[in-house]
Amino acid sequence: MAEVRAIRSAAPPVRPEFETRPGEAAHIGDAARPLTPWERLVNDTTARRIFILVVLAIAWELYARWVKNPLMFPSFLDMSEALYDNFVNGPLIDRTLTTIKVLLLGYTAGIAIAAVLTTIAVSTRIGTDLLSTLTAMFNPLPAIALLPLALLWFGLGIPSLIFVIIHSVLWAVALNTHTGFMAVSETQRMAGQNYGLRGIRYVMQILIPAAFPSILAGLKIGWAFAWRTLIAAELVFGVSSRSGGLGWFIFENRQQLETANVFAGLTTVIIIGLLVESVIFRTAETHTVRKWGMQR
Amino acid sequence: MDANGTGGARPLLEVDGVTLQYKTREHLVTATYRVSFKVWPSDRFVLLGPSGCGKSTLLKGVAGFMRPVEGTMHLNGRDIDRPGPDRMMVFQEFDQLLPWKTVRQNVMFPMLVSGRFARAEAEQRALAYIDKVNLTKFRDAYPHTLSGGMKQRVAIARAMAMEPDILLMDEPFAALDALTRRKMQEELLQLWADTRFTVLFVTHSIEEAIIVGSRILVMSPHPGQVKAELNSDVFDHAAQGGIEFQALQQRIHNMLFAERIEEDKAVAHG
C-alpha cells in the first residue's frame, strides 16, 4: 500500500511541447536495398540443406577412415562407388523401380480409400464416429504386425505388400484430412454456404482448399509411413519372386557381407525420400499453402 | 423519403414474431423472442443492442443459417429457408476471405458459383467494385498480404458486386482501429449514396448505429426483444458534435442503461 502511494506521488516532470518534420533518413542507408549474393545464399533453404548434407558426408568419410573397418562401416567414398556400380551395372535400378511401383500402387489406393472415408465422415455424424473409432483402433497398429495375416490371405507377393501399405497410409491421411476439415473456420463455412454452395461443390471449393495444409501434412506422413512399411516388408519376404525390391537388395547384400552395397541400398532409400520431400512436396507447398499465406 | 418506407410499394424484408433458439453444450438458449421489423428498399437498417441481445443470431436467421422456432421471415414475399446469394453477408472476422484466392478471384467467386454472371462479366464487375473500394492496386494480391481494413473492403466489394437484394453486415468494422473504422463508415455511406443498396447492419455501438443507419431497431438482451425503432437518417459524421445527435445518443443510451438497472435489481432480488 505504501509503495503504491509512493509511485503515485512521483508526478512526471512537465516538459515543453514541440512539433517536428521527419528528417532525411539517408544516413541509415537506402530505405530498401537488394540483398548481397551471400545474404541470398544464406536465405536459400535448398542451399542451407545441401550444406548440411555435405557436412554429414564429410563427417561420415572421416569417421570411417578412422575406424578402418570396411566390413562394418564402409566409408562414404566406398559407398558412393558401390552405389554407382550397382546403378550402372548391377540390379539397383530394377530393384528401385519395383519398389516404387508397388509403393505408388499402395499409396494411391490408400489415399482413395481415405478420401471415401473422410467424405462419409464429414457428411454424417455416425460417419464421423466411424472414422474416429477406426482411426483410434488401427492407427497405432504397426503395418508390419499385419504382415503375417496378409501373407495368410494374399500369399507371398505384391498384393500382400499393397495391403500393408494401404494400412499404413490410410489412417494417417484420413485422420489428418478429417482434422483439417474440422478446423475450417465457421466464417469460411458460412461464407461458402452464403454463395449457395452445397454438397460436393461445397467440399471441393471450400473445405478441401481451406483444409489443404492439413491434407498436405497427411499426404507427407502417409508417404513416409508407406516407404518404411514397404522396405521393412520387403526385408521379410522379398524372397518370393526374382524381381525383389530395395528391401530385398539390402537383405541379400547383408547375407553376402557386401556391406558397401547394404549402405548403397540404404542411401538409395534416403535419396528418394529426400527428393520426394524436397522436390515434390516442397514444390506443392510453395505453389499452394505458402503462396496463400496459410503456412510460413 | 422513399428509404423510410413511405413511398415504396411493399417492404423488402419482413420479420414477423421471430423467436430464435440455439443449443450450446449444456443449454438451450433463446436468442430472440418474438421480434418483428420491416426493412424497406434502400433502408440502412441497424440492429442495435448490447451483447447477448441476439442481434447477430437474428442476422444469421435472415441469412438462412438458422430456422426460427416461431414466426416467419420473408424476403420479397418468399420464405427464407436456406442461405443464398440473394442475401450477401459481410462478417466481422477477417478470415471471411478465401486465402487461396486473390482479391479479384475472391470478388468474382460468388458471382461465378451462383451462376448469375458469365466469367467475362463477373471479371468486369469485380474490377469495377474493387475500384469502388479503392483497392485497384491490390487486385492481384492474396488476402494474407492485406491489412484488416483492406480485407473488410474486399468483403464489402465481394458482397456488393453480387448486387444482392439485401446486404447483411455483422459488425463489419468492430475489429478495426478507430481511425480505420471511421474511414470505412464514411466509405460505406458514400457507396450507399452511389447505389442506394439495402443493408441490414448489426452493431453494438450507439454512435455507429446513428451514423451508419437510417433506421435503428434497439434491442434488449436475454432474450432479445424489440425495445424501440428510431429514425436516424439525418445524422452523419458531420452531425456528431450536434445537440440533436447527442440527444438521440443519450436517449438510446438511457434505453439500454435502464435495462441494465432493472436487470441488476432482478439479480439482487433473485
Side-chain angles (χ1 to χ4, degrees), chain A residues 155-234:
Chain A
L156 285 173
I158 290 178
S160 285
L161 290 176
I162 289 182
F163 175 79
V164 289
I165 295 175
I166 288 177
H167 171 83
S168 64
V169 174
L170 172 59
W171 310 114
V173 174
L175 186 66
N176 271 281
T177 310
H178 190 246
T179 313
F181 282 174
M182 291 290 112
V184 175
S185 81
E186 199 55 38
T187 320
Q188 274 172 18
R189 287 167 190 273
M190 287 201 286
Q193 287 161 7
N194 192 192
Y195 308 157
L197 286 173
R198 254 171 281 279
I200 193 75
R201 287 177 78 208
Y202 172 67
V203 175
M204 299 296 288
Q205 306 227 37
I206 302 289
L207 287 188
I208 291 186
F212 211 67
S214 301
I215 295 177
L216 210 54
L219 291 178
K220 264 160 111 170
I221 296 172
W223 173 261
F225 278 14
W227 214 186
R228 336 176 165 168
T229 305
L230 180 57
I231 300 293
E234 281 181 351

Side-chain angles (χ1 to χ4, degrees), chain A residues 185-198 201 205-207 209-211 290-294, chain B residues 60 65 82-85 87-89 91 93 95-101 109-110 112-114 142 144 158:
Chain A
S185 81
E186 199 55 38
T187 320
Q188 274 172 18
R189 287 167 190 273
M190 287 201 286
Q193 287 161 7
N194 192 192
Y195 308 157
L197 286 173
R198 254 171 281 279
R201 287 177 78 208
Q205 306 227 37
I206 302 289
L207 287 188
R290 276 168 210 271
K291 190 165 93 179
W292 305 335
M294 294 163 93
Chain B
K60 283 196 184 112
F65 295 118
R82 55 165 72 173
R87 288 148 285 148
M88 287 296 287
M89 186 119 168
F91 300 89
E93 293 84 5
D95 71 342
Q96 62 186 301
L97 300 182
L98 308 176
W100 57 93
K101 291 183 180 295
F109 186 60
L112 294 178
V113 296
S114 65
Y142 282 93
H144 71 101
R158 176 171 75 176

